[in-house]
Amino acid sequence: MVAVAKEDLVALYESLLAATPSGEDPPGELLESAAAVAGSADPAIVESLPPRARVVMRLLRHGHATPAWAALIDGATGIVKHDFRATTSSGASRTDWPLPILTAVESPDVFAQFPGFRDPRYGVPDEIYEVGAAIKLRCHVDDVIAGKRPVLAGWAALDVLDTEPTESVVVVARHEGVEISWPGSRQRRPDQVGGSRDTLRRRAWSGWRVAIDPSDLSAAGRWTLWLAIGQRGFSRRARIGKSAGDLAERAVGHPLSRKPPVSLVQGNGGWSLLVAAQRRR
C-alpha cells in the first residue's frame, strides 16, 4: 500500500472543491474513492490539515458522505468559480465571497459549524467537527514603553475565531517553573479589519495592551515572555517577540525599568525579561 502524504490529502481536498459546481447532490463514486484514500491515511496526517479539510476528511473516513459534500460546497463558496445562468439586476456578473468558519466555543472544545453539524438527519458525532487543536494564537508586538510599569502592546488573535472585546489578555513571565502574570485589555484595531466577509470581524478587537510590574519578578535571570488570550473558557498562549514591528524591536537590548533593573532581551524563540542580580549593600 502506498503511504498517503499530507500533500496528497491537500490535493484531494482541492480536487473535491473543484467538483462542487457539478451540483448539490453528492457524487457517489467520487466520494467513495475519496473516502478510500482518506481512510488509508495516517490519522495524524489528517489531524495536521487546516480546519475545513480536516473536518471533510474525518467525515469521509467515517462514512458521512452527504454532510462531507455539504461542507465542501460551503468551503468552495468564493473559492471555486461557478457559472451562473442569470446576471444581477444591474447586469454585473454575480460574485460569491469566501465564507468564514462559524464556530461554537464550548470550552474546552471549539466546533466548526459546517452544514451537517448537529443536524439530526445525519447523526454525525460532534467530535468530528471539533477544531480546537487547529487553533493557534497569532501574536505581534507594535510598541514597548519603558518605565516604572513598562507597557507592551500590539495585536493578537486566535485564528479561526472572531475576536471579542471581552476576551481575557494576560502577559506571563516564566522562570524555572515559576509564573508571574499581568492582566491587560483588548483594544479595537480598525487597521486589522479586512475587506472580505471572512476578515471583516476576525481581528476587529485584536489589539492588546498590558502593563507589567517588574517588582513582581522574584529572582534574577531570564523570564520568558508569553501572551495568553482566552475566549469563553478556551485559551491559547504564544511567545511574545516572535513577530514585532520596527518600533518595538528598538526596545530589545535596552532597560525596561531601573528599579529593579530589568532589560528586554531576544533569545530562545522570543523575548525575555532579564532581571539583573542586585548587589547587597
Side-chain angles (χ1 to χ4, degrees):
M1 180 181 293
V2 179
V4 178
K6 181 176 180 178
E7 293 76 13
D8 298 327
L9 291 183
V10 171
L12 174 61
Y13 177 72
E14 291 175 349
S15 67
L16 291 172
L17 288 179
T20 56
S22 62
E24 295 185 2
D25 294 330
E29 292 185 4
L30 175 62
L31 294 179
E32 284 180 13
S33 61
V37 175
S40 63
D42 187 322
I45 294 178
V46 173
E47 296 307 308
S48 70
L49 296 172
R52 285 190 181 276
R54 183 181 308 197
V55 171
V56 167
M57 294 304 159
R58 287 177 184 166
L59 288 166
L60 291 173
R61 285 167 64 89
H62 290 85
H64 300 291
T66 300
W69 186 245
L72 283 163
I73 292 175
D74 187 77
T77 304
I79 304 298
V80 178
K81 183 178 179 180
H82 289 249
D83 293 326
F84 298 103
R85 293 187 177 88
T87 60
T88 60
S89 59
S90 64
S93 60
R94 182 174 171 182
T95 303
D96 281 340
W97 298 94
L99 298 177
I101 297 178
L102 302 179
T103 55
V105 180
E106 300 176 8
S107 181
D109 300 315
V110 178
F111 299 104
Q113 294 182 303
F114 297 150
F117 175 62
R118 291 180 179 168
D119 189 326
R121 294 175 297 174
Y122 307 127
V124 180
D126 283 358
E127 56 264 28
I128 288 184
Y129 293 93
E130 210 286 320
V131 294
I135 297 176
K136 296 179 176 60
L137 177 61
R138 311 295 179 184
C139 173
H140 180 81
V141 186
D142 288 319
D143 199 8
V144 178
I145 304 173
K148 186 176 181 180
R149 292 288 301 269
V151 173
L152 304 178
W155 66 261
L158 294 162
D159 56 9
V160 177
L161 303 183
D162 287 344
T163 55
E164 297 180 351
T166 55
E167 289 177 335
S168 61
V169 180
V170 179
V171 165
V172 179
R174 299 180 61 188
H175 174 70
E176 296 183 351
V178 177
E179 288 193 353
I180 304 296
S181 60
W182 301 281
S185 61
R186 270 307 202 187
Q187 310 287 319
R188 188 163 177 80
R189 287 291 297 261
D191 62 307
Q192 291 297 318
V193 176
S196 70
R197 287 171 59 184
D198 186 39
T199 59
L200 192 58
R201 296 177 3 189
R202 185 60 44 86
R203 292 181 177 177
W205 283 95
S206 63
W208 61 275
R209 185 180 188 278
V210 179
I212 67 176
D213 188 348
S215 65
D216 291 337
L217 303 173
S218 56
R222 283 178 177 256
W223 293 73
T224 59
L225 283 175
W226 302 75
L227 183 70
I229 300 291
Q231 182 181 135
R232 286 174 272 172
F234 179 84
S235 65
R236 287 286 183 269
R237 64 169 57 181
R239 282 298 304 274
I240 293 175
K242 293 181 70 173
S243 174
D246 292 340
L247 183 61
E249 288 280 6
R250 294 175 188 172
V252 177
H254 298 283
L256 282 186
S257 71
R258 299 190 181 279
K259 292 183 179 181
V262 175
S263 299
L264 186 66
V265 295
Q266 176 79 47
N268 299 324
W271 291 351
S272 299
L273 297 176
L274 180 60
V275 181
Q278 299 188 56
R279 297 178 180 178
R280 295 183 178 179
R281 295 182 178 180

